Amino acid sequence: KGWIPISDDAVVDAPVAPTTQKGIFAFGGNSSGTCTSNLVNSSGTIAADVDIAGTPKNNIGASTYGGDKAIFAFGENQSGGVKVNVRSLVSNSGVVASEASGAGTARMLVAASTFGSSGQAIFGYGATAGDNAVSMSNIVNNSGVIASDVTGVGTGRRMLAAARYGTGLAVFAYGIPGSGRTSISNKVNTSGVIASDTTGVGTGRSSLAATAFGGDKAIFGYGEDANDALSVSNKVSNTGVIAADVTGVGTARYSLAATDFGGDKGLFFGGVPGTVSLSNLVSNTGVVASNTAGADGVTGKSLLAGAGFSFS
């Protein structure tokens, strides 16, 4: 009686890759000019400031690498405005190591994202001396080593953002080219090759932030156009299609940062005007929540960066 199976291949448990659970925000400007970080737990709660090793820097980039670690790189020294190519690695317990010499052209206002199948990351675009917008990238291997410059594809720009989507893919979008603001985007394949420009969708803007959510999608949020700070977002599908503007929730601002956390959610934090400590959670369906006020000990920050880390 009943059925006799001849194969159970279809019911074998397939391995599931672990997901990033925590986040970290670091560097950036604040009233005291200190060099600090703020850890984000798997519930999206931002912890109080922690002093970290390194030189205070603004306009820095950050990404997950190695699956459960993070890297902060490039930027501009807070004192003197010198553009740098140093890097600071973050362990899977959230400890920021002393900065080390990086590779590639010293620049600021870069964007970064993880990509690929083995924990790589990519830093792209930015501004060199004289705030000259450039089209170049640097791949980071799964040990946190930054490779030399690769001449970029697409329009050089600064003050853009980037995030992962799909499986091993990433996208750079928005920013300032030589003048004005743009909404063009450039996809990154699983080998770290940046594609040519895709005609932009949504409001051309700069100084925004982006994060992954839902496991295979992304969202770009906030920023400024030629006149105002914005509260607007654009979702990215798991095939890399950027959707039209959605009127944002929360305080309009720019020069903020974002990170993923909790496996499938995201978080926007900080920004100006006012150098705030506000944050806005992003659900696993891409809904941006209303403001959460900064907790005691969380200093308002801008010109910072954020990235996910830790599988636990």
Side-chain angles (χ1 to χ4, degrees), residues 25 29-32 34 36-40 44-50 267-271 274-279 292-301 304:
F25 295 104
N30 55 52
S31 58
S32 63
T34 57
T36 63
S37 69
N38 299 85
L39 298 183
V40 180
T45 301
I46 301 174
D49 297 355
V50 174
L267 180 67
F268 292 99
F269 170 64
T275 313
V276 297
S277 59
L278 299 174
S279 62
T292 297
D296 289 345
V298 179
T299 304
K301 296 181 179 68
L304 70 164

Side-chain angles (χ1 to χ4, degrees), residues 28 41 159 243 265 269:
N41 69 15
M159 298 183 181
K265 292 171 279 294
F269 170 64

Side-chain angles (χ1 to χ4, degrees), residues 222 249-251 253 266-268 278-282 288-292:
Y222 301 93
V249 176
T251 300
R253 60 199 194 273
L267 180 67
F268 292 99
L278 299 174
S279 62
N280 300 82
L281 297 174
V282 180
V288 181
S290 55
N291 293 343
T292 297

Side-chain angles (χ1 to χ4, degrees), residues 52-103:
I52 57 175
T55 304
K57 291 179 286 292
N58 297 330
N59 299 313
I60 194 169
S63 174
T64 302
Y65 82 92
D68 63 347
K69 295 171 281 292
I71 180 172
F72 290 80
F74 300 99
E76 178 183 39
N77 283 345
Q78 211 165 45
S79 175
V82 177
K83 296 168 180 64
V84 298
N85 63 352
V86 298
R87 63 187 171 109
S88 298
L89 301 183
V90 182
S91 73
N92 57 12
S93 60
V95 177
V96 181
S98 298
E99 63 190 27
S101 297

